[in-house]
Amino acid sequence: MSKRFNHCRATAPLTAVCVLVAGLTGCGRQRDGDVYSVLNSSTDETYHRWDAQAMDRCGERLGVTVEQQSVPAAQVMTKALRMASSKSLPDIVQFDASEMPTFAEAGGLTDLETLGLSTRGIPRGIVDFGSYEGTYYGAARSVNTLALFYDRDVLDEAGVAVPTTWDELREAARKLTRGKRYGLALSAGGAEDGVFQFTPFMWSNGGDETRLDGPRVVEALDYWKALLADGSLSKSTVNWTQADVNDQFMAGNAAMMINGPWQVETLNTKKSLRWGIARIPAPRAGAGSVAPLGGTVLTVPDTGDPERQRTAGRIVACLAGEKEQLSYALKSWMVPADAEAAAVWRERVPGLRALADQVATARSRTAKLGAGWPNVSLALQSAFQAALTGESSGAALKRAQQRATSGN
């Protein structure tokens, strides 16, 4: 599974986006009436093929041809902006959900509900995932989140139960740390991977991205610092991406890890590794565990051609329909966005039910801040680096809050 689905990439400044998107409606390049284009990040051969097959099925059903243009995930926003400025936007753009609000705030997207798409049967967190200021702009086919992966053999040998609370996780990580093997691996690197992995600790503890220096956020970062001080985390965690974390787990250098379903395909290549998966431990018994939603959403740009936009909406409805969601999710190890499709998915892949449970209560990173999320992300990244290398969590997060507020 490609790691592209859970990253929040730095986007162009909003003022630049507004300038480029403004005036995108109206006459642009001549379009083939029966050929509809989709800009996405499916550069991986496998995903490109799966998407092509889904688009062929939906195109046949609707009597049109659907073609995809795939670019690396980090280039989708830049490509869309260039196409907007030249009035040559595709009919559908698949944005990372964390980037979609920036394009929506600039006025570049169409309200999907006006095109006939419904949010019925979709969990509120996933509706928020594809929304900006209450308007539904992006339909998710599948979503991902984080969970606790563990080596069954290592835990069994040590007589350690799968932890469900922070205290249990800390104690288990201590017991499982032996020689070159750490009890736990996670990403605290200076990029969005680290922020993505911190949000379950921040949110589950009652912290909020609108106040990074709040006591609950400080407690969450202190918890990470405690794991590091115990020796249960490698000091290299401040440099690791989520891919690095998975490499450490597969090499036997970590008994547990925080990671996502995009690693399943790689994990399954090591036949001797008996791994399990559970929800991320909560701060205390009985408390909820809130993780971030990751993934992409299908959007319909406002190209100034209402008839094409309506057909594009029908294509999105097909691709994000229950049948296609389930087909895509079973191949990619993602969780279907639709509740009924997710229920079928649970039965088909019972070993990953913990992911569906985590998704049911998961939260969109941009739900509260919209296009302001990237500022918070960058501020948190700096805070991790400072706090995990010696500075107090309070001081690091106070500076992060100032940075997020100022946007610098």
Side-chain angles (χ1 to χ4, degrees):
M1 164 60 197
S2 167
K3 269 64 79 177
R4 67 184 182 276
F5 289 101
N6 63 311
H7 290 189
C8 168
R9 292 166 293 280
T11 61
L14 180 60
T15 51
V17 175
C18 289
V19 169
L20 287 169
V21 174
L24 72 87
T25 58
C27 297
R29 62 178 172 82
Q30 187 66 36
R31 298 172 185 263
D32 187 325
D34 293 325
V35 178
Y36 287 76
S37 58
V38 179
L39 175 65
N40 63 21
S41 57
S42 298
T43 54
D44 178 88
E45 186 276 331
T46 304
Y47 283 86
H48 194 85
R49 183 176 71 254
W50 292 343
D51 280 343
Q53 291 167 348
M55 290 174 195
D56 285 347
R57 289 191 293 268
C58 287
E60 183 175 357
R61 193 176 308 168
L62 297 170
V64 297
T65 298
V66 186
E67 299 177 342
Q68 62 181 323
Q69 179 181 359
S70 302
V71 299
Q75 297 178 20
V76 171
M77 176 62 82
T78 304
K79 179 76 172 178
L81 291 174
R82 284 202 305 265
M83 297 176 83
S85 66
S86 62
K87 302 191 179 193
S88 59
L89 270 169
D91 299 288
I92 297 166
V93 178
Q94 180 177 286
F95 282 114
D96 185 282
S98 61
E99 293 183 334
M100 179 275 295
T102 301
F103 212 82
E105 186 169 23
L109 299 177
T110 306
D111 179 351
L112 294 182
E113 292 189 281
T114 67
L115 300 179
L117 277 82
S118 170
T119 59
R120 189 176 63 246
I122 304 174
R124 169 49 54 186
I126 299 178
V127 174
D128 291 342
F129 187 63
S131 300
Y132 174 68
E133 293 190 343
T135 300
Y136 186 53
Y137 290 112
R141 287 187 291 172
S142 62
V143 293
N144 61 62
T145 191
L146 293 168
L148 179 72
F149 289 74
Y150 57 92
D151 187 318
R152 293 180 183 275
D153 291 332
V154 171
L155 267 66
D156 288 347
E157 183 181 343
V160 172
V162 177
T164 61
T165 67
W166 282 10
D167 284 346
E168 290 176 2
L169 178 61
R170 187 175 179 185
E171 183 60 24
R174 278 200 204 101
K175 290 181 177 179
L176 295 168
T177 299
R178 293 288 184 275
K180 294 194 303 182
R181 186 189 70 211
Y182 290 92
L184 178 67
L186 55 80
S187 169
E192 182 64 17
D193 277 16
V195 178
F196 197 69
Q197 296 225 333
F198 182 65
T199 53
F201 295 89
M202 174 173 73
W203 288 338
S204 299
N205 198 43
D208 193 289
E209 56 269 36
T210 63
R211 189 186 170 196
L212 299 182
D213 56 352
R216 297 296 188 179
V217 185
V218 173
E219 286 177 3
L221 189 49
D222 275 342
Y223 181 75
W224 272 17
K225 285 172 69 74
L227 291 170
L228 195 62
D230 289 345
S232 301
L233 286 179
S234 168
K235 292 181 180 179
S236 297
T237 192
V238 296
N239 301 314
W240 282 346
T241 65
Q242 293 178 124
D244 295 328
V245 169
N246 193 58
D247 289 343
Q248 294 297 318
F249 182 72
M250 291 187 68
N253 296 330
M256 301 180 289
M257 70 169 176
I258 305 294
N259 228 315
W262 52 89
Q263 308 292 8
V264 169
E265 188 173 0
T266 304
L267 287 170
N268 286 342
T269 63
K270 187 173 181 179
K271 302 304 180 184
S272 62
L273 178 61
R274 293 178 59 248
W275 57 271
I277 189 171
R279 294 190 68 169
I280 295 175
R284 60 199 67 83
S289 175
V290 184
L293 283 170
T296 60
V297 291
L298 294 166
T299 69
V300 176
D302 180 2
T303 58
D305 189 332
E307 184 176 348
R308 285 191 70 90
Q309 288 170 208
R310 280 192 292 272
T311 301
R314 288 194 285 271
I315 295 169
V316 169
C318 178
L319 291 172
E322 183 179 339
K323 182 177 179 180
E324 290 297 340
Q325 277 194 28
L326 186 59
S327 173
Y328 187 78
L330 288 171
K331 294 171 183 172
S332 65
W333 307 104
M334 299 295 106
V335 180
D338 178 85
E340 291 186 8
V344 175
W345 184 89
R346 285 171 186 259
E347 298 303 317
R348 299 280 289 274
V349 283
L352 297 182
R353 283 184 182 178
L355 278 171
D357 293 339
Q358 194 82 68
V359 161
T361 59
R363 185 184 300 177
S364 167
R365 287 165 286 170
T366 59
K368 289 191 175 184
L369 299 179
W373 171 259
N375 286 338
V376 166
S377 177
L378 290 171
L380 278 174
Q381 291 167 32
S382 297
F384 299 153
Q385 297 295 295
L388 296 179
T389 54
E391 188 174 11
S392 74
S393 298
L397 287 167
K398 181 177 182 179
R399 190 167 58 254
Q401 178 61 33
Q402 292 169 344
R403 180 177 182 181
T405 302
S406 68
N408 296 320

